[in-house]
Amino acid sequence: MDQYVWETILAVALGFVAVYGILARNANARRKSFGKGGAEDREPRDTATTTPIDGIFRSKNNDASDDADVIIVGAGVAGAALAHTLGKDGRRVYVIERDLSEPDRIVGELLQPGGYLKLIELGLEDCVEGIDAQRVFGYALFKDGKRTRVAYPLEKFDSDVSGRSFHNGRFIQRMREKAASLPNVRLEQGTVTSLLEEKGVIRGVQYKTKSGEELIKYAPLTVVCDGCFSNLRRSLCDPKVDVPSCFVGLVLENCQLPFADHGHVVLADPSPILFYPISSTEVRCLVDVPGQKVPSISNGEMAKYLKTTVAPQVPLELHDAFIAAVDKGNIRTMPNRSMPAAPHPTPGALLLGDAFNMRHPLTGGGMTVALSDIVVLRDLLRPLGDLNDPPTLCKYLESFYTLRKPVSATINTLAGALYKVFCSSSDEARKEMRQACFDYLSLGGVFSNGPVSLLSGLNPRPLSLVCHFFAVAIYGVGRLLLPFPSPKRMWIGARLISSASGIIFPIIKAEGVRQMFFPVTVPAYYRAPPAK
């Protein structure tokens, strides 16, 4: 059966499922409140991020010969890619990055095929060359001794199209070099301390150079993409950051993955373990630890946890290399952050990348969302010869927040939902949902191609995501009721549907129902470029 016919049939069933789920959620409404960012409440407050222009000294850095059309704060994946993209379109771009040395991170190492296609569209595909990047063609899933493989549906694409995995820092340095090679793009190492605001309009930035000199820079448009720890986002959005878990990172050396050229996901207890190649001799391992506190590395608790709790669940082929990596001691941790996009449209400024929108990194979708956003922004800015009317430009760029939704909302929702499904639980309904997800993907064909095309960024269709998600839930109920239903199994099945609704509907609400499913009803969707 054709994939789209299948999705249409599922959509009909979804209506009944959704009604039940909403009723179930309403029953719990008095006990639960949606949208509280617990982690954000415990984080230190950022200092003031906007500075009035009145009284600011205009430094020699701002003479007419050094004008910029766009200031970009941050030169990570988003910042470097945007600098090259706008520079190639003839914009004068000034990039300020806190540290221009090669980054060393344990995330941002897997680029999905959809992200690679965006890289091609931006003319940056050669940035994955010469860094020992590895091609990735799908995923292998492991659960309770069973394993299955799901491949990316790449049949309709050129042979070069696939996922890519690599050292994050090498990839970023290649993009920085490519951006800096353009004569109208300038990269400077410095720390932006505040955005310069005048009568509600962002006019530029104040920053401190590597040598400690305080300077300011003006431009009609400032794009803030200074990453997940952004200290500038508070004046441009309503950040509700959640930290559901932390990643513990290791590098396994000189070992063979059970499925070559694939990412590996172990549905372990209490939460998933990831393996994927980052070079021809290295495999990244990321152990998810729920919550915001992890065992101490310094006193040996982390090594003990990894050896006693995690190692027995690691695939046999990787067990010895995993133990050797723990013994080597280069263990690193990083909090996994999730933050819906909640912008305050501000004349003269725009947010991008992890400073703007984050999702759980389980599905490796962050770079795909960022590159897709850059394509949308580039296409919106191309008709504009002049950016010097900030209020009009701001109103026009409100369409950016709607046009980006098909890709961003699909990947964000899937990341949040899959993480919750893949975590172990003592609840029988959640256990059944987890098992149903594994078995559903193991069926192959449309059952695996549909979800994997969503995860990979090849099918940015939120309705398709919702249909497949509830198809998994319905499949789980069917497994419970066949061959002979019992009252207990029927009750677990009802709770499974309720649990599925409780997982996905809050994520959809945070993303924005109207923008996800009815974007053409948003006024900004049809907004034309300002008249020249």
Side-chain angles (χ1 to χ4, degrees):
M1 183 180 294
D2 181 81
Q3 176 180 349
Y4 302 114
V5 174
W6 169 256
E7 291 173 355
T8 302
I9 294 172
L10 288 178
V12 176
L14 172 62
F16 296 100
V17 171
V19 171
Y20 180 90
I22 292 170
L23 292 174
R25 292 291 293 168
N26 287 342
N28 292 323
R30 291 188 177 88
R31 297 195 304 271
K32 298 180 180 179
S33 60
F34 170 73
K36 293 184 178 179
E40 183 72 10
D41 294 338
R42 289 185 287 275
E43 291 177 351
R45 301 285 293 182
D46 292 325
T47 56
T49 56
T50 58
T51 302
I53 279 184
D54 296 340
I56 291 289
F57 172 70
R58 292 178 180 267
S59 77
K60 62 183 179 182
N61 179 254
N62 298 284
D63 58 40
S65 63
D66 198 29
D67 284 345
D69 297 312
V70 181
I71 295 172
I72 298 175
V73 182
V77 171
L82 181 64
H84 176 268
T85 300
L86 297 183
K88 195 170 63 171
D89 280 357
R91 306 286 185 187
R92 295 166 298 175
V93 182
Y94 198 89
V95 185
I96 305 171
E97 162 59 37
R98 183 182 59 83
D99 185 358
L100 285 173
S101 61
E102 183 175 306
D104 182 15
R105 304 181 67 206
I106 65 172
V107 293
E109 298 172 317
L110 178 60
L111 180 65
Q112 297 288 0
Y116 181 72
L117 289 173
K118 297 299 180 184
L119 210 63
I120 294 173
E121 194 171 346
L122 295 170
L124 291 166
E125 66 273 19
D126 57 345
C127 291
V128 297
E129 298 173 3
I131 60 173
D132 199 15
Q134 304 298 298
R135 300 186 71 181
V136 179
F137 294 99
Y139 282 88
L141 301 179
F142 297 77
K143 185 179 185 298
D144 300 332
K146 297 180 180 179
R147 56 183 68 185
T148 189
R149 185 179 71 89
V150 291
Y152 294 134
L154 301 173
E155 299 81 8
K156 298 179 181 179
F157 300 96
D158 294 340
S159 59
D160 187 53
V161 176
S162 66
R164 294 292 196 281
S165 54
F166 38 67
H167 281 271
N168 172 269
R170 297 175 186 174
F171 179 56
I172 288 176
Q173 288 300 88
R174 289 283 288 114
M175 289 205 294
R176 288 174 177 174
E177 292 166 7
K178 184 122 182 189
S181 69
L182 297 174
N184 51 329
V185 175
R186 177 179 171 184
L187 272 69
E188 180 172 355
Q189 184 162 305
T191 302
V192 174
T193 54
S194 64
L195 303 175
L196 300 179
E197 181 264 339
E198 179 182 31
K199 298 179 180 179
V201 177
I202 302 300
R203 299 294 185 183
V205 299
Q206 182 173 10
Y207 69 102
K208 183 180 293 187
T209 67
K210 186 179 180 180
S211 62
E213 186 181 6
E214 291 275 0
L215 297 176
I216 60 174
K217 185 71 180 177
Y218 295 95
L221 179 63
T222 299
V223 182
V224 176
C225 39
D226 54 346
C228 62
F229 299 106
S230 172
N231 67 336
L232 301 174
R233 66 161 68 103
R234 286 185 181 275
S235 58
L236 302 175
C237 76
D238 182 19
K240 295 180 180 178
V241 180
D242 181 34
V243 184
S245 66
C246 296
F247 267 156
V248 178
L250 300 165
V251 174
L252 280 56
E253 299 177 335
N254 299 311
C255 62
Q256 296 296 320
L257 288 164
F259 296 86
D261 303 321
H262 282 67
H264 292 57
V265 182
V266 182
L267 305 189
D269 183 7
S271 53
I273 308 167
L274 307 181
F275 296 92
Y276 51 87
I278 55 173
S279 74
S280 54
T281 61
E282 299 166 299
V283 171
R284 168 67 70 195
C285 171
L286 294 174
V287 179
D288 186 84
V289 178
Q292 300 178 36
K293 298 181 69 174
V294 298
S296 171
I297 296 176
S298 58
N299 66 11
E301 288 181 2
M302 178 64 78
K304 180 180 179 182
Y305 173 81
L306 294 174
K307 287 183 176 181
T308 59
T309 301
V310 179
Q313 304 180 78
V314 169
L316 187 60
E317 298 93 328
L318 300 173
H319 183 272
D320 291 345
F322 180 84
I323 295 296
V326 175
D327 289 337
K328 189 174 181 179
N330 188 19
I331 304 170
R332 301 172 61 191
T333 64
M334 181 168 181
N336 294 325
R337 296 178 166 222
S338 175
M339 186 184 78
H344 299 155
T346 305
L350 195 73
L351 276 169
L352 204 68
D354 283 349
F356 173 48
N357 183 205
M358 294 180 281
R359 76 291 309 149
H360 196 284
L362 173 69
T363 58
M367 290 188 290
T368 299
V369 171
L371 294 171
S372 175
D373 283 353
I374 290 169
V375 170
V376 173
L377 182 59
R378 177 202 65 183
D379 293 345
L380 285 172
L381 292 178
R382 268 184 173 170
L384 306 181
D386 185 7
L387 305 179
N388 282 291
D389 185 356
T392 303
L393 178 63
C394 177
K395 187 174 180 64
Y396 168 59
L397 288 181
E398 285 180 13
S399 58
F400 167 76
Y401 304 117
T402 301
L403 295 173
R404 69 183 293 272
K405 276 296 177 179
V407 173
S408 65
T410 300
I411 291 176
N412 293 347
T413 305
L414 184 62
L418 270 187
Y419 177 70
K420 292 183 178 181
V421 170
F422 280 178
C423 286
S424 64
S425 173
S426 58
D427 182 74
E428 287 293 329
R430 291 287 292 273
K431 286 181 180 179
E432 289 293 337
M433 185 71 178
R434 193 186 197 208
Q435 185 64 51
C437 188
F438 180 85
D439 292 344
Y440 183 89
L441 293 171
S442 300
L443 293 173
V446 67
F447 304 101
S448 63
N449 285 347
V452 173
S453 67
L454 294 162
L455 180 149
S456 61
L458 297 173
N459 178 22
R461 299 174 64 204
L463 181 59
S464 178
L465 164 62
V466 175
C467 288
H468 277 287
F469 186 80
F470 280 103
V472 171
I474 293 168
Y475 175 75
V477 173
R479 291 171 66 256
L480 284 166
L481 301 184
L482 295 175
F484 301 108
S486 67
K488 180 181 178 181
R489 285 175 170 266
M490 292 174 65
W491 173 241
I492 293 175
R495 286 174 48 221
L496 190 157
I497 298 295
S498 175
S499 177
S501 302
I503 288 173
I504 199 167
F505 287 152
I507 302 174
I508 290 174
K509 181 181 177 183
E511 288 293 324
V513 175
R514 187 179 179 187
Q515 288 182 314
M516 277 184 71
F517 299 105
F518 312 103
V520 296
T521 69
V522 179
Y525 188 85
Y526 295 103
R527 199 157 286 161
K532 293 183 180 180

